[in-house]
Amino acid sequence: MSDYIATLQKAIKDLHGCDAVHVSTTPVVETFKGEIVWQGDVETFSIRGHPKAKRCFAWSYQDDRGTTQSTAVLELPPVDSELAAVRAALVAQVKNENKKA
């Protein structure tokens, strides 16, 4: 198991309290008005310990300060795919930024 996958498994455990087993890697490109707003690989995990979700989508990225951050999104409606997880995370990020402003 790679350090990257182990880091994401720890993030899933810390954020959602679930044990995770890596299932697959999916490249995702999200665009808005013809511009790429996010591009990267999303890791899919099978999870145990959550009352409703059976899968979780996770990835890491560098924030504006250069710090590595991990995101872990549970497969709960409306999130039903890697792309939907990225979209949900982007919406949450924009909402959090608007609260700070």
Side-chain angles (χ1 to χ4, degrees):
M1 171 178 36
S2 74
D3 290 344
Y4 179 64
I5 297 299
T7 298
L8 294 177
Q9 287 171 316
K10 183 180 181 324
I12 293 166
K13 183 73 165 180
D14 292 347
L15 290 169
H16 303 296
C18 301
D19 293 320
V21 176
H22 185 249
V23 175
S24 63
T25 303
T26 304
V28 173
V29 178
E30 174 62 345
T31 59
F32 182 73
K33 295 185 179 179
E35 299 290 323
I36 295 174
V37 294
W38 193 91
Q39 182 174 2
D41 288 336
V42 176
E43 307 301 334
T44 301
F45 294 86
S46 173
I47 59 171
R48 288 187 319 264
H50 192 275
K52 294 182 180 175
K54 300 294 182 225
R55 293 195 316 166
C56 187
F57 306 105
W59 60 92
S60 291
Y61 63 94
Q62 297 281 323
D63 66 16
D64 295 335
R65 297 181 308 271
T67 304
T68 300
Q69 302 288 334
S70 295
T71 300
V73 180
L74 295 171
E75 183 184 49
L76 293 171
V79 176
D80 60 359
S81 67
E82 293 82 0
L83 179 59
V86 169
R87 288 178 177 160
L90 290 171
V91 168
Q93 183 179 10
V94 168
K95 285 181 181 179
N96 286 338
E97 288 172 3
N98 287 341
K99 286 180 185 178
K100 294 176 187 175

